[in-house]
Amino acid sequence: MTQDEKLENFLHMSVETAQQESQKALDEYQAQLDRSFEEHKAVRRQQAADAVRDEKVRTEREINRQLSSREIDIRQTIAQRQDELKKHLFERVAEKLQAFKGTKDYEEFLVRKINEAKKFAGKDEMTVYIDPSDAALADSLAKETGVTPQISKEEFVGGMRAVIRSRNVLIDNSFKTLMADQRDNYSFEGGVQE
């Protein structure tokens, strides 16, 4: 083999080795790039999933906050409306009681309540009070029950009160007290009643 052939062979082998090494370096670099790209995609996917989760949590919190605020507003509106309805209802009840006081049934009611109090008192002394607006009924009540009612200095809308001092008992069948008890204990059960 001649010197030129040897050089040619050496050049050829050097170029082939260089190409193989270059190809190997390129393959390794490409593999490294592929791994880096896959890692980058995984990181980005995780970041996107985290961002979606965080946004979902933030949105749920905001929705819950708005719902809670709206629920409070609705409850306040309902409570306010119930108070208005309750006030109107008891105004109507007061009107009905005033109309009832003008009937014979009212006088019978007073007679029945005085007799019940008399039975409860037994032999104990009892004082019966009627509302000042019922003063005209005092004589007929005394005839019917055998108890002379006193005219109260305090107005209590109607009805009667009896005091049994020996037992320290107040029998309060006044419309003022009965209405106050009903107003205090009244609650809406919900729904529309026909």
Side-chain angles (χ1 to χ4, degrees), residues 29-50:
Y29 185 66
Q30 184 63 44
Q32 179 62 32
L33 282 177
D34 289 344
R35 280 192 302 276
S36 292
F37 181 64
E38 289 303 319
E39 288 172 6
H40 176 73
K41 283 195 320 187
V43 166
R44 295 301 283 170
R45 279 189 191 116
Q46 186 60 47
Q47 288 173 341
D50 291 346

Side-chain angles (χ1 to χ4, degrees), residues 51 58 111 147 178 182 189:
R58 189 194 65 74
V111 168
V147 175
L178 294 172
Q182 288 300 314
E189 297 300 321

Side-chain angles (χ1 to χ4, degrees), residues 4-18:
D4 284 338
E5 287 176 344
K6 285 183 184 178
L7 278 175
E8 184 69 32
N9 193 18
F10 178 73
L11 178 66
H12 180 60
M13 286 188 67
S14 294
V15 168
E16 193 174 303
T17 302

Side-chain angles (χ1 to χ4, degrees), residues 6 8 48 51 55 97 108 125 145-146 154 165 171 177-178:
K6 285 183 184 178
E8 184 69 32
E55 184 62 20
L97 285 175
E108 291 171 4
E125 187 178 319
T145 63
E154 176 189 347
R165 288 188 187 358
I171 299 170
T177 301
L178 294 172

Side-chain angles (χ1 to χ4, degrees), residues 13-126:
M13 286 188 67
S14 294
V15 168
E16 193 174 303
T17 302
Q19 282 179 339
Q20 287 174 354
E21 288 177 6
S22 172
Q23 187 61 44
K24 183 179 174 186
L26 276 173
D27 289 346
E28 287 176 6
Y29 185 66
Q30 184 63 44
Q32 179 62 32
L33 282 177
D34 289 344
R35 280 192 302 276
S36 292
F37 181 64
E38 289 303 319
E39 288 172 6
H40 176 73
K41 283 195 320 187
V43 166
R44 295 301 283 170
R45 279 189 191 116
Q46 186 60 47
Q47 288 173 341
D50 291 346
V52 167
R53 187 190 69 242
D54 292 347
E55 184 62 20
K56 182 180 175 185
V57 167
R58 189 194 65 74
T59 302
E60 286 174 350
R61 280 189 192 140
E62 180 61 22
I63 288 170
N64 287 340
R65 186 193 63 76
Q66 289 176 0
L67 284 174
S68 179
S69 175
R70 185 67 180 132
E71 184 179 357
I72 289 169
D73 291 345
I74 289 170
R75 285 185 181 178
Q76 288 174 342
T77 302
I78 288 171
Q80 181 181 12
R81 184 64 179 138
Q82 284 178 340
D83 287 344
E84 291 169 5
L85 290 172
K86 186 175 176 180
K87 180 181 177 196
H88 179 69
L89 173 69
F90 281 96
E91 286 171 356
R92 295 282 312 270
V93 168
E95 291 170 8
K96 298 272 186 187
L97 285 175
Q98 284 303 315
F100 175 65
K101 284 180 67 174
T103 68
K104 184 72 176 153
D105 290 340
Y106 176 63
E107 190 173 343
E108 291 171 4
F109 168 79
L110 290 176
V111 168
R112 188 172 64 251
K113 291 300 176 184
I114 291 170
N115 285 332
E116 288 172 5
K118 195 164 97 173
K119 183 178 178 183
F120 179 78
K123 296 188 186 250
D124 292 331
E125 187 178 319
M126 173 181 71

